[in-house]
Amino acid sequence: MDSLLIKGGAPLCGEVTISGAKNAALPIMAAALLTKEPCVIQGVPDLSDVRFMGQILSWLGAKVRFDAGNVHIEAREVKGAAEYDLVRKMRGSICIMGPLLGRLHKATVSLPGGCVIGARPINLHLKGFEALGARVTIGGGYVRASGRRLTGAPIFLGGRSGSTVLGTANVIMAAALADGVTVIESAACEPEVVDLASFLNAMGARITGAGSPTITITGVKALHGAVHKIIPDRIEAATYAIATAATRGEVTLKSARADHLGAVLDKLREAGVCIETNGAGIKVHRTGKLRPVDITTLPYSGFPTDVQAQMMALMTLTPGISIITERIFESRFMHVSELARLGADIEIEGPSAIVKGGKPLSGAPVMASDLRASAALVVAGLAARGTTTISRVYHVDRGYEDIDGKLRKLGARVERITES
Ligand code: EPU
């Protein structure tokens, strides 16, 4: 298992190119199951989660080939079942269910189960499939959905914490080949949903409204192959922006899209970070003192839960008190106790973390527990005095392409230790 050894204190300076979005790539790769024709997905990040989605698609019968940032997928024949050993490794693999149901009118997928950030239920996905006319049963750890024909319907996808990103993706994909018109109300508005709809429309689907809470899908008889370029990863961009602020650096995030990062850039500006945007990317610069900010995570266009941990790391360096409230995943505070090992003063009260920032952090051995928690440890380690060793780096590698290489190019003293 690899570790990252970070000697903190070096300001990040220069340019970094933001990779394609993991959370757009996963459902878009799954969407290629909806056609027998070849699809090419460009700008796909080289990440363990993406390679894993490739393995799932191969296992289901598709030909999958990765080549220099492109993934070629051809799903001539597809089988409609995915077992526990495939699905348990990545919760995101549930997004194969919509395309399997859409194409084969039946799908059997192992229930993904919970994970360290929360319960991860799929009740809204299943409600959507049922509304389309599928019969859904659960037994032996598997969920089965089948229906001789799927018929478009009105579907409300709002849940306790707002809508569901992969649930919206799953229902759109199942409805793309259904008879008639489906109208999803309270759909997720995330840019990754918009990117999926663009890919499906390029395949011949008829989807309007993606990016708003009402999405209309007019079913078509068949979809064809398409070429599509993935949007840049807004969470990776936010993480580098925060790391730049944490180290008093100056970095241009090439290809980052400011229009996908409104809430994050707004909070960074409020915290005293200088942000300039232009068509080519976003320039982040910090010289002065940081100011504490309060944050509540919300569905898009609110502050993303996937940036909560990294922002908390920044607030530990900021004199004063910030209150960070997590409204999407109930136990997404795994980073708190590890940040405390670096000297952070954080108290959890219900869904909120009270960060008493401003004390300098000092390096220590810490352990990554999930993807974004590990990113927070990287941010803190870059700013801390001395050496931080982050073990279980495979969590970081799930979502950050070549993180140590990119950080080194920006001047960070980061080394990957590979244990044989
Ligand atoms: N929810 C339900 N019922 C459902 C589905 C979700 O109650 O059927 C609840 C969840 O428990 C949660 C909320 O709705 O409280 C939002 O969950 P959502 O379904 O939107 O999450 P997801 O689609 O499973 C994606 C990303 C996550 C990201 C969330 C929220 C992918 C592969 N994953 O998950 O990304 O945190 O949306 O934005 O797209 C990450 O990249 O680190 C990551 C965890």
Side-chain angles (χ1 to χ4, degrees), residues 22-23 120-125 161 163-166 305-306 328-329 332 371-372:
K22 164 182 85 83
N23 290 347
R120 314 294 297 264
I122 58 162
N123 58 309
L124 296 169
H125 304 227
S161 320
S163 192
T164 160
V165 177
L166 290 178
T305 173
D306 291 344
I328 307 293
F329 292 111
R332 205 171 200 181
L371 170 55
R372 307 305 172 186

mmCIF file with all atom_site columns, all heavy atoms in Angstrom, residues 22-23 120-125 161 163-166 305-306 328-329 332 371-372, ligand 1:
data_model
loop_
_atom_site.group_PDB
_atom_site.id
_atom_site.type_symbol
_atom_site.label_atom_id
_atom_site.label_alt_id
_atom_site.label_comp_id
_atom_site.label_asym_id
_atom_site.label_entity_id
_atom_site.label_seq_id
_atom_site.pdbx_PDB_ins_code
_atom_site.Cartn_x
_atom_site.Cartn_y
_atom_site.Cartn_z
_atom_site.occupancy
_atom_site.B_iso_or_equiv
_atom_site.pdbx_formal_charge
_atom_site.auth_seq_id
_atom_site.auth_comp_id
_atom_site.auth_asym_id
_atom_site.auth_atom_id
_atom_site.pdbx_PDB_model_num
ATOM   1   N N   . LYS A 1 22  ? -14.135 12.721 -12.627 1.00 0.00 ? 22  LYS A N   1
ATOM   2   C CA  . LYS A 1 22  ? -14.423 11.319 -12.280 1.00 0.00 ? 22  LYS A CA  1
ATOM   3   C C   . LYS A 1 22  ? -15.939 11.074 -12.244 1.00 0.00 ? 22  LYS A C   1
ATOM   4   O O   . LYS A 1 22  ? -16.433 10.099 -12.812 1.00 0.00 ? 22  LYS A O   1
ATOM   5   C CB  . LYS A 1 22  ? -13.832 10.996 -10.902 1.00 0.00 ? 22  LYS A CB  1
ATOM   6   C CG  . LYS A 1 22  ? -14.381 9.721  -10.273 1.00 0.00 ? 22  LYS A CG  1
ATOM   7   C CD  . LYS A 1 22  ? -13.806 9.461  -8.901  1.00 0.00 ? 22  LYS A CD  1
ATOM   8   C CE  . LYS A 1 22  ? -14.478 10.150 -7.742  1.00 0.00 ? 22  LYS A CE  1
ATOM   9   N NZ  . LYS A 1 22  ? -15.681 9.503  -7.198  1.00 0.00 ? 22  LYS A NZ  1
ATOM   10  N N   . ASN A 1 23  ? -16.669 11.975 -11.566 1.00 0.00 ? 23  ASN A N   1
ATOM   11  C CA  . ASN A 1 23  ? -18.088 11.704 -11.346 1.00 0.00 ? 23  ASN A CA  1
ATOM   12  C C   . ASN A 1 23  ? -18.950 11.945 -12.587 1.00 0.00 ? 23  ASN A C   1
ATOM   13  O O   . ASN A 1 23  ? -20.137 11.617 -12.606 1.00 0.00 ? 23  ASN A O   1
ATOM   14  C CB  . ASN A 1 23  ? -18.610 12.508 -10.150 1.00 0.00 ? 23  ASN A CB  1
ATOM   15  C CG  . ASN A 1 23  ? -18.035 11.972 -8.847  1.00 0.00 ? 23  ASN A CG  1
ATOM   16  O OD1 . ASN A 1 23  ? -17.449 10.877 -8.822  1.00 0.00 ? 23  ASN A OD1 1
ATOM   17  N ND2 . ASN A 1 23  ? -18.178 12.720 -7.767  1.00 0.00 ? 23  ASN A ND2 1
ATOM   18  N N   . ARG A 1 120 ? -25.705 5.701  2.238   1.00 0.00 ? 120 ARG A N   1
ATOM   19  C CA  . ARG A 1 120 ? -25.784 5.516  0.781   1.00 0.00 ? 120 ARG A CA  1
ATOM   20  C C   . ARG A 1 120 ? -26.975 4.659  0.331   1.00 0.00 ? 120 ARG A C   1
ATOM   21  O O   . ARG A 1 120 ? -26.806 3.642  -0.353  1.00 0.00 ? 120 ARG A O   1
ATOM   22  C CB  . ARG A 1 120 ? -24.475 4.917  0.205   1.00 0.00 ? 120 ARG A CB  1
ATOM   23  C CG  . ARG A 1 120 ? -23.181 5.525  0.687   1.00 0.00 ? 120 ARG A CG  1
ATOM   24  C CD  . ARG A 1 120 ? -22.940 6.950  0.287   1.00 0.00 ? 120 ARG A CD  1
ATOM   25  N NE  . ARG A 1 120 ? -22.814 7.252  -1.122  1.00 0.00 ? 120 ARG A NE  1
ATOM   26  C CZ  . ARG A 1 120 ? -21.666 7.351  -1.781  1.00 0.00 ? 120 ARG A CZ  1
ATOM   27  N NH1 . ARG A 1 120 ? -20.538 7.100  -1.175  1.00 0.00 ? 120 ARG A NH1 1
ATOM   28  N NH2 . ARG A 1 120 ? -21.650 7.704  -3.041  1.00 0.00 ? 120 ARG A NH2 1
ATOM   29  N N   . PRO A 1 121 ? -28.208 5.045  0.700   1.00 0.00 ? 121 PRO A N   1
ATOM   30  C CA  . PRO A 1 121 ? -29.375 4.279  0.243   1.00 0.00 ? 121 PRO A CA  1
ATOM   31  C C   . PRO A 1 121 ? -29.605 4.470  -1.258  1.00 0.00 ? 121 PRO A C   1
ATOM   32  O O   . PRO A 1 121 ? -29.072 5.408  -1.854  1.00 0.00 ? 121 PRO A O   1
ATOM   33  C CB  . PRO A 1 121 ? -30.537 4.900  1.030   1.00 0.00 ? 121 PRO A CB  1
ATOM   34  C CG  . PRO A 1 121 ? -30.094 6.289  1.322   1.00 0.00 ? 121 PRO A CG  1
ATOM   35  C CD  . PRO A 1 121 ? -28.584 6.245  1.459   1.00 0.00 ? 121 PRO A CD  1
ATOM   36  N N   . ILE A 1 122 ? -30.408 3.560  -1.868  1.00 0.00 ? 122 ILE A N   1
ATOM   37  C CA  . ILE A 1 122 ? -30.737 3.726  -3.298  1.00 0.00 ? 122 ILE A CA  1
ATOM   38  C C   . ILE A 1 122 ? -32.252 3.724  -3.516  1.00 0.00 ? 122 ILE A C   1
ATOM   39  O O   . ILE A 1 122 ? -32.719 3.451  -4.618  1.00 0.00 ? 122 ILE A O   1
ATOM   40  C CB  . ILE A 1 122 ? -30.047 2.658  -4.187  1.00 0.00 ? 122 ILE A CB  1
ATOM   41  C CG1 . ILE A 1 122 ? -30.427 1.238  -3.748  1.00 0.00 ? 122 ILE A CG1 1
ATOM   42  C CG2 . ILE A 1 122 ? -28.551 2.836  -4.216  1.00 0.00 ? 122 ILE A CG2 1
ATOM   43  C CD1 . ILE A 1 122 ? -30.146 0.192  -4.822  1.00 0.00 ? 122 ILE A CD1 1
ATOM   44  N N   . ASN A 1 123 ? -33.000 4.037  -2.422  1.00 0.00 ? 123 ASN A N   1
ATOM   45  C CA  . ASN A 1 123 ? -34.459 3.993  -2.529  1.00 0.00 ? 123 ASN A CA  1
ATOM   46  C C   . ASN A 1 123 ? -34.997 4.894  -3.642  1.00 0.00 ? 123 ASN A C   1
ATOM   47  O O   . ASN A 1 123 ? -35.966 4.542  -4.321  1.00 0.00 ? 123 ASN A O   1
ATOM   48  C CB  . ASN A 1 123 ? -35.096 4.369  -1.172  1.00 0.00 ? 123 ASN A CB  1
ATOM   49  C CG  . ASN A 1 123 ? -34.674 5.755  -0.695  1.00 0.00 ? 123 ASN A CG  1
ATOM   50  O OD1 . ASN A 1 123 ? -33.481 6.059  -0.659  1.00 0.00 ? 123 ASN A OD1 1
ATOM   51  N ND2 . ASN A 1 123 ? -35.625 6.588  -0.348  1.00 0.00 ? 123 ASN A ND2 1
ATOM   52  N N   . LEU A 1 124 ? -34.346 6.051  -3.866  1.00 0.00 ? 124 LEU A N   1
ATOM   53  C CA  . LEU A 1 124 ? -34.857 6.971  -4.895  1.00 0.00 ? 124 LEU A CA  1
ATOM   54  C C   . LEU A 1 124 ? -34.609 6.418  -6.302  1.00 0.00 ? 124 LEU A C   1
ATOM   55  O O   . LEU A 1 124 ? -35.437 6.580  -7.196  1.00 0.00 ? 124 LEU A O   1
ATOM   56  C CB  . LEU A 1 124 ? -34.230 8.356  -4.735  1.00 0.00 ? 124 LEU A CB  1
ATOM   57  C CG  . LEU A 1 124 ? -34.577 9.079  -3.414  1.00 0.00 ? 124 LEU A CG  1
ATOM   58  C CD1 . LEU A 1 124 ? -33.711 10.321 -3.224  1.00 0.00 ? 124 LEU A CD1 1
ATOM   59  C CD2 . LEU A 1 124 ? -36.062 9.470  -3.374  1.00 0.00 ? 124 LEU A CD2 1
ATOM   60  N N   . HIS A 1 125 ? -33.464 5.732  -6.493  1.00 0.00 ? 125 HIS A N   1
ATOM   61  C CA  . HIS A 1 125 ? -33.196 5.098  -7.792  1.00 0.00 ? 125 HIS A CA  1
ATOM   62  C C   . HIS A 1 125 ? -34.333 4.092  -8.076  1.00 0.00 ? 125 HIS A C   1
ATOM   63  O O   . HIS A 1 125 ? -34.901 4.052  -9.168  1.00 0.00 ? 125 HIS A O   1
ATOM   64  C CB  . HIS A 1 125 ? -31.890 4.292  -7.795  1.00 0.00 ? 125 HIS A CB  1
ATOM   65  C CG  . HIS A 1 125 ? -30.651 5.037  -7.397  1.00 0.00 ? 125 HIS A CG  1
ATOM   66  N ND1 . HIS A 1 125 ? -29.493 4.957  -8.122  1.00 0.00 ? 125 HIS A ND1 1
ATOM   67  C CD2 . HIS A 1 125 ? -30.363 5.846  -6.357  1.00 0.00 ? 125 HIS A CD2 1
ATOM   68  C CE1 . HIS A 1 125 ? -28.544 5.685  -7.552  1.00 0.00 ? 125 HIS A CE1 1
ATOM   69  N NE2 . HIS A 1 125 ? -29.050 6.223  -6.461  1.00 0.00 ? 125 HIS A NE2 1
ATOM   70  N N   . SER A 1 161 ? -32.190 14.774 1.713   1.00 0.00 ? 161 SER A N   1
ATOM   71  C CA  . SER A 1 161 ? -31.098 15.753 1.596   1.00 0.00 ? 161 SER A CA  1
ATOM   72  C C   . SER A 1 161 ? -31.095 16.411 0.230   1.00 0.00 ? 161 SER A C   1
ATOM   73  O O   . SER A 1 161 ? -30.055 16.781 -0.271  1.00 0.00 ? 161 SER A O   1
ATOM   74  C CB  . SER A 1 161 ? -29.768 15.048 1.817   1.00 0.00 ? 161 SER A CB  1
ATOM   75  O OG  . SER A 1 161 ? -29.854 14.105 2.832   1.00 0.00 ? 161 SER A OG  1
ATOM   76  N N   . SER A 1 163 ? -31.931 16.153 -3.940  1.00 0.00 ? 163 SER A N   1
ATOM   77  C CA  . SER A 1 163 ? -32.065 15.111 -4.951  1.00 0.00 ? 163 SER A CA  1
ATOM   78  C C   . SER A 1 163 ? -30.915 14.121 -4.854  1.00 0.00 ? 163 SER A C   1
ATOM   79  O O   . SER A 1 163 ? -30.135 14.144 -3.904  1.00 0.00 ? 163 SER A O   1
ATOM   80  C CB  . SER A 1 163 ? -32.117 15.728 -6.346  1.00 0.00 ? 163 SER A CB  1
ATOM   81  O OG  . SER A 1 163 ? -32.522 14.738 -7.270  1.00 0.00 ? 163 SER A OG  1
ATOM   82  N N   . THR A 1 164 ? -30.824 13.244 -5.835  1.00 0.00 ? 164 THR A N   1
ATOM   83  C CA  . THR A 1 164 ? -29.749 12.255 -5.859  1.00 0.00 ? 164 THR A CA  1
ATOM   84  C C   . THR A 1 164 ? -29.065 12.323 -7.225  1.00 0.00 ? 164 THR A C   1
ATOM   85  O O   . THR A 1 164 ? -29.744 12.274 -8.257  1.00 0.00 ? 164 THR A O   1
ATOM   86  C CB  . THR A 1 164 ? -30.293 10.841 -5.576  1.00 0.00 ? 164 THR A CB  1
ATOM   87  O OG1 . THR A 1 164 ? -29.343 9.885  -6.050  1.00 0.00 ? 164 THR A OG1 1
ATOM   88  C CG2 . THR A 1 164 ? -31.633 10.558 -6.233  1.00 0.00 ? 164 THR A CG2 1
ATOM   89  N N   . VAL A 1 165 ? -27.738 12.419 -7.197  1.00 0.00 ? 165 VAL A N   1
ATOM   90  C CA  . VAL A 1 165 ? -26.995 12.609 -8.438  1.00 0.00 ? 165 VAL A CA  1
ATOM   91  C C   . VAL A 1 165 ? -27.040 11.324 -9.275  1.00 0.00 ? 165 VAL A C   1
ATOM   92  O O   . VAL A 1 165 ? -27.514 11.324 -10.422 1.00 0.00 ? 165 VAL A O   1
ATOM   93  C CB  . VAL A 1 165 ? -25.528 13.017 -8.131  1.00 0.00 ? 165 VAL A CB  1
ATOM   94  C CG1 . VAL A 1 165 ? -24.732 13.148 -9.421  1.00 0.00 ? 165 VAL A CG1 1
ATOM   95  C CG2 . VAL A 1 165 ? -25.493 14.318 -7.340  1.00 0.00 ? 165 VAL A CG2 1
ATOM   96  N N   . LEU A 1 166 ? -26.586 10.226 -8.692  1.00 0.00 ? 166 LEU A N   1
ATOM   97  C CA  . LEU A 1 166 ? -26.572 8.982  -9.475  1.00 0.00 ? 166 LEU A CA  1
ATOM   98  C C   . LEU A 1 166 ? -27.977 8.434  -9.683  1.00 0.00 ? 166 LEU A C   1
ATOM   99  O O   . LEU A 1 166 ? -28.240 7.740  -10.663 1.00 0.00 ? 166 LEU A O   1
ATOM   100 C CB  . LEU A 1 166 ? -25.673 7.940  -8.805  1.00 0.00 ? 166 LEU A CB  1
ATOM   101 C CG  . LEU A 1 166 ? -24.169 8.262  -8.875  1.00 0.00 ? 166 LEU A CG  1
ATOM   102 C CD1 . LEU A 1 166 ? -23.363 7.197  -8.137  1.00 0.00 ? 166 LEU A CD1 1
ATOM   103 C CD2 . LEU A 1 166 ? -23.684 8.367  -10.314 1.00 0.00 ? 166 LEU A CD2 1
ATOM   104 N N   . THR A 1 305 ? -20.529 18.868 -0.950  1.00 0.00 ? 305 THR A N   1
ATOM   105 C CA  . THR A 1 305 ? -20.047 17.995 0.133   1.00 0.00 ? 305 THR A CA  1
ATOM   106 C C   . THR A 1 305 ? -18.650 17.453 -0.182  1.00 0.00 ? 305 THR A C   1
ATOM   107 O O   . THR A 1 305 ? -17.859 17.231 0.732   1.00 0.00 ? 305 THR A O   1
ATOM   108 C CB  . THR A 1 305 ? -21.038 16.828 0.378   1.00 0.00 ? 305 THR A CB  1
ATOM   109 O OG1 . THR A 1 305 ? -20.457 15.922 1.316   1.00 0.00 ? 305 THR A OG1 1
ATOM   110 C CG2 . THR A 1 305 ? -21.374 16.058 -0.887  1.00 0.00 ? 305 THR A CG2 1
ATOM   111 N N   . ASP A 1 306 ? -18.342 17.284 -1.464  1.00 0.00 ? 306 ASP A N   1
ATOM   112 C CA  . ASP A 1 306 ? -17.038 16.716 -1.837  1.00 0.00 ? 306 ASP A CA  1
ATOM   113 C C   . ASP A 1 306 ? -15.879 17.696 -1.615  1.00 0.00 ? 306 ASP A C   1
ATOM   114 O O   . ASP A 1 306 ? -14.726 17.340 -1.844  1.00 0.00 ? 306 ASP A O   1
ATOM   115 C CB  . ASP A 1 306 ? -17.051 16.266 -3.310  1.00 0.00 ? 306 ASP A CB  1
ATOM   116 C CG  . ASP A 1 306 ? -17.963 15.062 -3.529  1.00 0.00 ? 306 ASP A CG  1
ATOM   117 O OD1 . ASP A 1 306 ? -18.329 14.399 -2.544  1.00 0.00 ? 306 ASP A OD1 1
ATOM   118 O OD2 . ASP A 1 306 ? -18.312 14.793 -4.696  1.00 0.00 ? 306 ASP A OD2 1
ATOM   119 N N   . ILE A 1 328 ? -25.350 16.669 3.528   1.00 0.00 ? 328 ILE A N   1
ATOM   120 C CA  . ILE A 1 328 ? -25.604 15.643 2.513   1.00 0.00 ? 328 ILE A CA  1
ATOM   121 C C   . ILE A 1 328 ? -25.334 14.233 3.074   1.00 0.00 ? 328 ILE A C   1
ATOM   122 O O   . ILE A 1 328 ? -26.191 13.349 2.948   1.00 0.00 ? 328 ILE A O   1
ATOM   123 C CB  . ILE A 1 328 ? -24.741 15.880 1.242   1.00 0.00 ? 328 ILE A CB  1
ATOM   124 C CG1 . ILE A 1 328 ? -24.937 17.318 0.713   1.00 0.00 ? 328 ILE A CG1 1
ATOM   125 C CG2 . ILE A 1 328 ? -25.085 14.864 0.145   1.00 0.00 ? 328 ILE A CG2 1
ATOM   126 C CD1 . ILE A 1 328 ? -26.300 17.661 0.174   1.00 0.00 ? 328 ILE A CD1 1
ATOM   127 N N   . PHE A 1 329 ? -24.165 14.023 3.656   1.00 0.00 ? 329 PHE A N   1
ATOM   128 C CA  . PHE A 1 329 ? -23.825 12.691 4.196   1.00 0.00 ? 329 PHE A CA  1
ATOM   129 C C   . PHE A 1 329 ? -23.601 12.790 5.701   1.00 0.00 ? 329 PHE A C   1
ATOM   130 O O   . PHE A 1 329 ? -22.763 13.581 6.153   1.00 0.00 ? 329 PHE A O   1
ATOM   131 C CB  . PHE A 1 329 ? -22.586 12.128 3.508   1.00 0.00 ? 329 PHE A CB  1
ATOM   132 C CG  . PHE A 1 329 ? -22.826 11.782 2.069   1.00 0.00 ? 329 PHE A CG  1
ATOM   133 C CD1 . PHE A 1 329 ? -22.237 12.512 1.059   1.00 0.00 ? 329 PHE A CD1 1
ATOM   134 C CD2 . PHE A 1 329 ? -23.674 10.731 1.717   1.00 0.00 ? 329 PHE A CD2 1
ATOM   135 C CE1 . PHE A 1 329 ? -22.465 12.206 -0.278  1.00 0.00 ? 329 PHE A CE1 1
ATOM   136 C CE2 . PHE A 1 329 ? -23.911 10.425 0.385   1.00 0.00 ? 329 PHE A CE2 1
ATOM   137 C CZ  . PHE A 1 329 ? -23.307 11.161 -0.609  1.00 0.00 ? 329 PHE A CZ  1
ATOM   138 N N   . ARG A 1 332 ? -19.798 12.301 7.382   1.00 0.00 ? 332 ARG A N   1
ATOM   139 C CA  . ARG A 1 332 ? -18.643 12.672 6.558   1.00 0.00 ? 332 ARG A CA  1
ATOM   140 C C   . ARG A 1 332 ? -17.682 13.588 7.334   1.00 0.00 ? 332 ARG A C   1
ATOM   141 O O   . ARG A 1 332 ? -17.322 14.666 6.881   1.00 0.00 ? 332 ARG A O   1
ATOM   142 C CB  . ARG A 1 332 ? -19.117 13.351 5.281   1.00 0.00 ? 332 ARG A CB  1
ATOM   143 C CG  . ARG A 1 332 ? -18.091 13.195 4.181   1.00 0.00 ? 332 ARG A CG  1
ATOM   144 C CD  . ARG A 1 332 ? -18.570 13.633 2.848   1.00 0.00 ? 332 ARG A CD  1
ATOM   145 N NE  . ARG A 1 332 ? -17.735 13.024 1.824   1.00 0.00 ? 332 ARG A NE  1
ATOM   146 C CZ  . ARG A 1 332 ? -17.883 13.220 0.539   1.00 0.00 ? 332 ARG A CZ  1
ATOM   147 N NH1 . ARG A 1 332 ? -18.825 14.012 0.095   1.00 0.00 ? 332 ARG A NH1 1
ATOM   148 N NH2 . ARG A 1 332 ? -17.090 12.623 -0.326  1.00 0.00 ? 332 ARG A NH2 1
ATOM   149 N N   . LEU A 1 371 ? -11.939 9.182  0.096   1.00 0.00 ? 371 LEU A N   1
ATOM   150 C CA  . LEU A 1 371 ? -11.319 10.016 -0.929  1.00 0.00 ? 371 LEU A CA  1
ATOM   151 C C   . LEU A 1 371 ? -11.136 11.478 -0.509  1.00 0.00 ? 371 LEU A C   1
ATOM   152 O O   . LEU A 1 371 ? -10.023 12.016 -0.538  1.00 0.00 ? 371 LEU A O   1
ATOM   153 C CB  . LEU A 1 371 ? -12.174 9.900  -2.193  1.00 0.00 ? 371 LEU A CB  1
ATOM   154 C CG  . LEU A 1 371 ? -11.908 10.840 -3.343  1.00 0.00 ? 371 LEU A CG  1
ATOM   155 C CD1 . LEU A 1 371 ? -10.466 10.774 -3.780  1.00 0.00 ? 371 LEU A CD1 1
ATOM   156 C CD2 . LEU A 1 371 ? -12.832 10.474 -4.507  1.00 0.00 ? 371 LEU A CD2 1
ATOM   157 N N   . ARG A 1 372 ? -12.220 12.146 -0.120  1.00 0.00 ? 372 ARG A N   1
ATOM   158 C CA  . ARG A 1 372 ? -12.104 13.583 0.136   1.00 0.00 ? 372 ARG A CA  1
ATOM   159 C C   . ARG A 1 372 ? -11.449 13.853 1.488   1.00 0.00 ? 372 ARG A C   1
ATOM   160 O O   . ARG A 1 372 ? -10.806 14.882 1.678   1.00 0.00 ? 372 ARG A O   1
ATOM   161 C CB  . ARG A 1 372 ? -13.466 14.265 0.036   1.00 0.00 ? 372 ARG A CB  1
ATOM   162 C CG  . ARG A 1 372 ? -14.206 13.982 -1.273  1.00 0.00 ? 372 ARG A CG  1
ATOM   163 C CD  . ARG A 1 372 ? -13.417 14.311 -2.520  1.00 0.00 ? 372 ARG A CD  1
ATOM   164 N NE  . ARG A 1 372 ? -14.104 13.829 -3.734  1.00 0.00 ? 372 ARG A NE  1
ATOM   165 C CZ  . ARG A 1 372 ? -13.589 13.874 -4.952  1.00 0.00 ? 372 ARG A CZ  1
ATOM   166 N NH1 . ARG A 1 372 ? -12.370 14.336 -5.165  1.00 0.00 ? 372 ARG A NH1 1
ATOM   167 N NH2 . ARG A 1 372 ? -14.261 13.412 -5.983  1.00 0.00 ? 372 ARG A NH2 1
HETATM 168 N N1  . EPU B 2 .   ? -30.036 9.473  -1.065  1.00 0.00 ? 1   EPU B N1  1
HETATM 169 C C1  . EPU B 2 .   ? -31.209 8.888  -0.648  1.00 0.00 ? 1   EPU B C1  1
HETATM 170 N N2  . EPU B 2 .   ? -31.771 7.930  -1.431  1.00 0.00 ? 1   EPU B N2  1
HETATM 171 C C2  . EPU B 2 .   ? -31.216 7.554  -2.613  1.00 0.00 ? 1   EPU B C2  1
HETATM 172 C C3  . EPU B 2 .   ? -30.007 8.159  -3.036  1.00 0.00 ? 1   EPU B C3  1
HETATM 173 C C4  . EPU B 2 .   ? -29.446 9.129  -2.222  1.00 0.00 ? 1   EPU B C4  1
HETATM 174 O O1  . EPU B 2 .   ? -31.734 9.211  0.420   1.00 0.00 ? 1   EPU B O1  1
HETATM 175 O O2  . EPU B 2 .   ? -31.784 6.691  -3.289  1.00 0.00 ? 1   EPU B O2  1
HETATM 176 C C5  . EPU B 2 .   ? -29.423 10.512 -0.215  1.00 0.00 ? 1   EPU B C5  1
HETATM 177 C C6  . EPU B 2 .   ? -28.005 10.147 0.217   1.00 0.00 ? 1   EPU B C6  1
HETATM 178 O O3  . EPU B 2 .   ? -28.013 9.358  1.386   1.00 0.00 ? 1   EPU B O3  1
HETATM 179 C C7  . EPU B 2 .   ? -27.405 11.498 0.432   1.00 0.00 ? 1   EPU B C7  1
HETATM 180 C C8  . EPU B 2 .   ? -28.055 12.354 -0.643  1.00 0.00 ? 1   EPU B C8  1
HETATM 181 O O4  . EPU B 2 .   ? -29.250 11.661 -1.023  1.00 0.00 ? 1   EPU B O4  1
HETATM 182 O O5  . EPU B 2 .   ? -27.805 11.991 1.692   1.00 0.00 ? 1   EPU B O5  1
HETATM 183 C C9  . EPU B 2 .   ? -27.220 12.632 -1.862  1.00 0.00 ? 1   EPU B C9  1
HETATM 184 O O6  . EPU B 2 .   ? -26.690 11.416 -2.384  1.00 0.00 ? 1   EPU B O6  1
HETATM 185 P P1  . EPU B 2 .   ? -26.488 11.183 -3.928  1.00 0.00 ? 1   EPU B P1  1
HETATM 186 O O7  . EPU B 2 .   ? -27.353 10.061 -4.373  1.00 0.00 ? 1   EPU B O7  1
HETATM 187 O O8  . EPU B 2 .   ? -26.605 12.471 -4.652  1.00 0.00 ? 1   EPU B O8  1
HETATM 188 O O9  . EPU B 2 .   ? -24.971 10.683 -3.981  1.00 0.00 ? 1   EPU B O9  1
HETATM 189 P P2  . EPU B 2 .   ? -24.402 9.733  -5.098  1.00 0.00 ? 1   EPU B P2  1
HETATM 190 O O10 . EPU B 2 .   ? -25.062 10.030 -6.369  1.00 0.00 ? 1   EPU B O10 1
HETATM 191 O O11 . EPU B 2 .   ? -24.357 8.349  -4.605  1.00 0.00 ? 1   EPU B O11 1
HETATM 192 C C10 . EPU B 2 .   ? -22.543 11.354 -5.993  1.00 0.00 ? 1   EPU B C10 1
HETATM 193 C C11 . EPU B 2 .   ? -21.048 11.367 -6.057  1.00 0.00 ? 1   EPU B C11 1
HETATM 194 C C12 . EPU B 2 .   ? -20.481 11.595 -4.658  1.00 0.00 ? 1   EPU B C12 1
HETATM 195 C C13 . EPU B 2 .   ? -21.036 12.914 -4.112  1.00 0.00 ? 1   EPU B C13 1
HETATM 196 C C14 . EPU B 2 .   ? -22.562 12.885 -4.125  1.00 0.00 ? 1   EPU B C14 1
HETATM 197 C C15 . EPU B 2 .   ? -23.196 14.182 -3.681  1.00 0.00 ? 1   EPU B C15 1
HETATM 198 C C16 . EPU B 2 .   ? -20.530 9.901  -7.897  1.00 0.00 ? 1   EPU B C16 1
HETATM 199 C C17 . EPU B 2 .   ? -19.894 8.647  -8.365  1.00 0.00 ? 1   EPU B C17 1
HETATM 200 N N3  . EPU B 2 .   ? -20.562 10.097 -6.582  1.00 0.00 ? 1   EPU B N3  1
HETATM 201 O O12 . EPU B 2 .   ? -22.885 10.254 -5.154  1.00 0.00 ? 1   EPU B O12 1
HETATM 202 O O13 . EPU B 2 .   ? -19.076 11.710 -4.832  1.00 0.00 ? 1   EPU B O13 1
HETATM 203 O O14 . EPU B 2 .   ? -20.570 13.119 -2.811  1.00 0.00 ? 1   EPU B O14 1
HETATM 204 O O15 . EPU B 2 .   ? -23.028 12.590 -5.453  1.00 0.00 ? 1   EPU B O15 1
HETATM 205 O O16 . EPU B 2 .   ? -22.793 15.230 -4.479  1.00 0.00 ? 1   EPU B O16 1
HETATM 206 O O17 . EPU B 2 .   ? -20.962 10.715 -8.691  1.00 0.00 ? 1   EPU B O17 1
HETATM 207 C C18 . EPU B 2 .   ? -16.821 11.599 -4.196  1.00 0.00 ? 1   EPU B C18 1
HETATM 208 O O18 . EPU B 2 .   ? -16.519 11.855 -5.374  1.00 0.00 ? 1   EPU B O18 1
HETATM 209 O O19 . EPU B 2 .   ? -15.980 11.623 -3.256  1.00 0.00 ? 1   EPU B O19 1
HETATM 210 C C19 . EPU B 2 .   ? -18.209 11.254 -3.877  1.00 0.00 ? 1   EPU B C19 1
HETATM 211 C C20 . EPU B 2 .   ? -18.559 10.609 -2.770  1.00 0.00 ? 1   EPU B C20 1
#
